[in-house]
Amino acid sequence: MHTDGNHIAGLLAEVFTGELTAAVRACETCGARRPVGAHRLYAGAGYVLRCPDCGDLAAVVYERGDGYALSLRGTWLIGRAP
Amino acid sequence: MAGAAVLGRLTWRVATIRDMREETARAKSLVLDVPDWPGHLAGQHVDVRLTAEDGYQAQRSYSIASAPEARGLELTIERIDDGEVSPYLVDEARPGDRFELRGPIGGYFVWHAGLDGPLGLIAGGSGLVPLMAMLRHRRAAEATNDARLLVSAPRFDDLLYRDELDGARITLTRQAPPGWDGFTRRIDAEMLQAIWPAPGARFYVCGPTPFVEEAARLLVGLGHEPAAVRTERFGPTGG
């Protein structure tokens, strides 16, 4: 059972040192532009984030030693902090 | 305020339980003192981390229940029987106890009184927690926009914040008390249509994944803009 991108808001804030769930991701497969918080999240040993419209891979994040491994797909539109 | 709540590196802080309140047989609200708390927006959550004597750590996310205007940060936690964190927080923790917390977290599932227009809130079970923060904030900010809340729970005794649900539409899906005049079925298009007859509201839907997806699907089917429907799901794991 999946949840959504809100679930890893803390993890993303740690990796990016900023809030990321309101960022909009443009899917390179279906073209949908959806906030990261609205993406589907699958949790296992790490996290897999998928486009809510077409299911295409958006991100893979997992803990790795003293840091994280991160793979991103599509275009992430991240607002500048106010 | 909005900037202060989202800026800056997340740091773990030590929260001290000031007060506890029983909400249902399975849920308690914890009022916390958190030194240097930067403030939050309604809808945001925190990560809570418990560390055992042997160093084992368990971490969970909990929505903030209090308005940004409130004194003290309030979380409402429902016990998940085989959970690693919630049984401690609901059954064992006492005022004066301390644990680690970081936040506020999240920028998508948030509402503030500066956003005008009607507010549509749909909660499944303890998905009511972040929505109650929005309603409490709306009250504190004396906002006058139209706001409607629909809460779905199995039984009356499962409802959180019963004293604050005046005006809310409630559906009890398993058992209703005698004389109950609210809904008694799972959410459906007819129910949502009765509460929100026309598009235009900004929706926040929170609850278990199947509930949230059904509510979002129904809203879009009724002609509400997909972008106007914000969702937050919680899964079977956690607690």
Side-chain angles (χ1 to χ4, degrees):
Chain A
M1 176 71 75
H2 61 281
T3 55
D4 59 40
N6 300 301
H7 195 77
I8 51 165
L11 173 63
L12 293 174
E14 194 176 323
V15 174
F16 288 89
T17 65
E19 143 54 34
L20 214 72
T21 56
V24 170
R25 175 183 164 275
C27 181
E28 61 190 9
T29 300
C30 74
R33 294 158 79 99
R34 306 282 181 230
V36 170
H39 278 57
R40 295 206 298 262
L41 181 79
Y42 297 83
Y47 294 101
V48 174
L49 200 62
R50 292 188 176 277
C51 172
D53 285 30
C54 74
D56 192 25
L57 197 63
V60 178
V61 194
Y62 60 91
E63 288 195 48
R64 181 178 175 276
D66 58 355
Y68 298 95
L70 176 68
S71 165
L72 300 179
R73 284 181 65 184
T75 303
W76 294 54
L77 309 168
I78 302 170
R80 205 168 274 128
Chain B
M1 172 63 217
V6 296
L7 279 179
R9 214 186 157 83
L10 271 184
T11 50
W12 290 100
R13 303 166 200 272
V14 176
T16 305
I17 302 175
R18 185 205 301 165
D19 197 12
M20 305 184 73
R21 208 171 47 241
E22 190 168 295
E23 300 287 359
T24 69
R26 292 175 49 214
K28 276 187 185 149
S29 287
L30 275 57
V31 186
L32 307 173
D33 288 318
V34 187
D36 302 320
W37 179 248
H40 69 274
L41 298 170
Q44 288 186 303
H45 64 267
V46 297
D47 287 343
V48 168
R49 182 166 77 180
L50 300 183
T51 305
E53 279 175 22
D54 64 359
Y56 177 78
Q57 292 188 323
Q59 185 180 322
R60 293 292 183 274
S61 297
Y62 294 105
S63 287
I64 299 170
S66 47
E69 293 85 354
R71 271 188 64 248
L73 184 73
E74 199 170 311
L75 309 179
T76 301
I77 293 157
E78 193 167 54
R79 185 196 321 113
I80 309 289
D81 287 332
D82 56 354
E84 290 189 314
V85 174
S86 64
Y88 166 75
L89 292 176
V90 175
D91 298 330
E92 308 295 332
R94 296 287 175 266
D97 285 2
R98 305 194 295 177
F99 56 84
E100 286 181 296
L101 163 159
R102 69 177 182 181
I105 295 166
Y108 162 67
F109 198 79
V110 296
W111 181 80
H112 61 86
L115 297 168
D116 51 9
L119 184 59
L121 306 175
I122 303 179
S126 57
L128 179 56
V129 178
L131 308 187
M132 184 51 69
M134 294 177 191
L135 286 173
R136 287 169 170 171
H137 166 55
R138 180 177 169 278
R139 209 180 307 142
E142 299 179 353
T144 55
N145 64 324
D146 183 84
R148 299 175 195 195
L149 168 67
L150 170 63
V151 184
S152 173
R155 301 172 190 82
F156 187 78
D157 289 348
D158 297 317
L159 286 170
L160 297 171
Y161 317 122
R162 264 166 271 166
D163 297 344
E164 294 179 67
L165 296 181
D166 280 354
R169 307 298 299 269
I170 299 170
T171 185
L172 300 176
T173 55
R174 288 218 193 116
Q175 193 183 66
W180 176 253
D181 61 354
F183 297 112
T184 54
R185 60 184 197 268
R186 286 171 179 274
I187 55 164
D188 54 29
E190 192 189 330
M191 189 185 296
L192 300 185
Q193 177 75 30
I195 302 172
W196 291 281
R202 189 188 299 268
F203 283 96
Y204 294 84
V205 185
C206 187
T209 297
F211 175 88
V212 168
E213 306 216 324
E214 177 66 359
R217 191 185 67 78
L218 291 168
L219 287 171
V220 171
L222 289 168
H224 299 279
E225 280 294 321
V229 181
R230 285 167 195 252
T231 49
E232 183 163 87
R233 304 157 173 84
F234 42 79
T237 57

